[in-house]
Amino acid sequence: MTLAEEQPRKKMTAAEVERLVNRLRGVPAGTPSLEEAKALRAEGWHLVVAYCRISDDAHKRDGHGVEDQTRHCARIAERTRSVVVQHYIDNDKSASKASVTRDDFDSMIDALERGTTDHGYPVDGVVCVADDRLYRGAHAYERFVDSFTAHPDRIYADDTGRHDLYGDGAEYRGLLGVAASRSETKKKKRRARLNHLARAERGEPVAGRRPFGWNADKLTLHPEESKVVRQGVTDLLAGKSITTVTRNFVASGLTSTMGNSWQLQTVKQILRNPRICGYRKLS
């Protein structure tokens, strides 16, 4: 057994993950100064930015996905005689949903159009672990290519090697990748829905954290917690406000299954969940 197996990574709070991601953002540790970087550039090195993204960090919630990507981007840059001078990171954000704003993606687009990072480093290219980290829709791909090619002679590289975004075939390759990504996303959603349906038909509980009101098996009621939930439903049906119900949750002396104090929104989610009447939501 390795040390990593003996000491598994502890699940971090959302605030701790955000602090980690903020440390990873910006100029990487050990990056040459602007003057040193420009000297390397004069010797034929490329100064590139790295884009890292993961769609769902909720499972482990430790930021390891984007942290691992920053290390791999450094290896990709080294293969192309490049130095990463800026990390742009969108953690726990989908690239396929139009409603999701990727702040660091937008910042990277601005830097590509401008030609320099916020710290003044010239931008000679972009590295990432795979195309689908950057885009999964045609609009995002077009934004990226338009800003990338706003300046000549840049390099783009991922784990499969360097790719020419200036050639006639770049648009075809990119849109083909977009179509493949969209198809794979739909397949994953369909497989996940069928898996949830099958588990529901077998009477198996959903994976994840124990819900408040239920025992660890997620099938039998917790004797104390279930009374609080039942009383909350009764009070709501009797016309009491959710604020009053939340106060009663607090007065019970119990906390959420994560050990947090009760907030109105959390109580509302519990009382609106179909689980409390034996139903299961499939969407």
Side-chain angles (χ1 to χ4, degrees), residues 20 37 44 75 89 137 141 163 211 215 233 263:
L20 169 63
R75 290 190 286 267
I89 298 175
Y141 174 72
H163 305 283
N215 289 316
V233 173
Q263 304 295 325

Side-chain angles (χ1 to χ4, degrees), residues 39-200:
L40 287 171
R41 192 173 185 239
E43 295 174 4
W45 286 75
H46 306 284
L47 306 182
V48 299
V49 300
Y51 181 76
C52 307
R53 181 189 66 81
I54 190 170
S55 296
D56 187 2
D57 191 32
H59 176 56
K60 291 190 175 181
R61 192 180 289 166
D62 60 3
H64 77 285
V66 289
E67 186 178 21
D68 292 345
Q69 286 183 34
T70 60
R71 287 193 287 266
H72 195 42
C73 281
R75 290 190 286 267
I76 294 171
E78 189 175 359
R79 295 174 202 158
T80 59
R81 206 162 186 256
S82 303
V83 177
V84 175
V85 296
Q86 177 88 18
H87 287 151
Y88 292 102
I89 298 175
D90 285 312
N91 189 51
D92 205 15
K93 289 190 176 182
S94 170
S96 57
K97 296 179 181 178
S99 59
V100 175
T101 298
R102 292 189 284 156
D103 295 324
D104 270 35
F105 180 78
D106 292 340
S107 296
M108 180 185 67
I109 294 297
D110 290 341
L112 286 170
E113 291 176 347
R114 190 171 57 241
T116 61
T117 69
D118 289 339
H119 296 86
Y121 287 91
V123 181
D124 298 326
V126 176
V127 295
C128 66
V129 296
D131 285 350
D132 63 1
R133 299 302 89 197
L134 278 164
Y135 52 82
R136 284 201 169 187
H139 178 62
Y141 174 72
E142 289 169 359
R143 285 185 67 202
F144 172 67
V145 172
D146 286 348
S147 62
F148 184 94
T149 56
H151 296 263
D153 302 324
R154 283 174 165 166
I155 67 165
Y156 168 64
D158 61 15
D159 195 43
T160 63
R162 286 182 58 168
H163 305 283
D164 179 15
L165 299 187
Y166 296 92
D168 294 337
E171 183 175 357
Y172 174 77
R173 173 183 173 274
L175 293 179
L176 187 64
V178 167
S181 293
R182 289 177 65 87
S183 175
E184 184 60 25
T185 298
K186 289 181 179 179
K187 286 180 183 178
K188 286 181 179 179
K189 288 181 178 179
R190 185 164 60 249
R191 287 196 296 265
R193 190 179 187 282
L194 290 174
N195 178 57
H196 282 296
L197 177 61
R199 290 173 65 88

Side-chain angles (χ1 to χ4, degrees), residues 196 273-275 279-283:
H196 282 296
N273 197 312
R275 180 193 294 115
Y279 292 151
R280 186 161 179 172
K281 183 179 179 182
L282 295 173
S283 60

